[in-house]
Amino acid sequence: MARGKIVIRRIEKMSNRQVTFSKRRHGLLKKARELAILCDVQVGVIVFSSTGRLYEYASSTTSASTGMPSIIHKYQSAQEHQQLLNPVSQIMF
């Protein structure tokens, strides 16, 4: 028996919203860890709650303190490289 589809919209009741956020955040971070291990890739996940609390996961072979910064630096370098290769962005400049 399959689960029914749910309508994706904001949960109005605060307590239900917090429980859903907690469960889905845990599931998202778990999937990120699994992806990093199974596929031998670098994964970085940053989540801010509605109260502004930060939750993060960074897979890296280095220590946890340098994991997320190195992933962010790698992302920024890739973005810059992609913009240089994209002829549309050249025209915009």
Side-chain angles (χ1 to χ4, degrees):
M1 188 169 171
R3 294 184 184 178
K5 290 188 176 184
I6 62 166
V7 178
I8 302 296
R9 59 182 159 82
R10 185 175 187 264
I11 300 170
E12 295 301 323
K13 192 172 180 184
M14 181 66 156
S15 60
N16 290 354
R17 187 168 55 237
Q18 181 59 38
V19 168
T20 300
F21 172 74
S22 180
K23 287 180 179 181
R24 288 188 176 239
R25 182 193 73 234
H26 177 74
L28 176 65
L29 297 179
K30 181 180 177 185
K31 288 289 186 184
R33 277 191 299 275
E34 291 171 354
L35 181 64
I37 293 169
L38 292 173
C39 299
D40 192 29
V41 295
Q42 286 185 329
V43 178
V45 179
I46 301 172
V47 179
F48 286 99
S49 71
S50 60
T51 60
R53 186 163 180 196
L54 168 68
Y55 300 92
E56 66 178 316
Y57 169 76
S59 66
S60 184
T61 56
T62 60
S63 67
S65 63
T66 60
M68 186 60 79
S70 68
I71 289 175
I72 291 172
H73 177 72
K74 191 171 187 176
Y75 170 76
Q76 290 172 336
S77 298
Q79 286 291 90
E80 291 170 3
H81 181 68
Q82 185 173 353
Q83 285 180 350
L84 292 175
L85 295 178
N86 188 355
V88 175
S89 65
Q90 296 273 337
I91 294 170
M92 290 172 57
F93 288 120

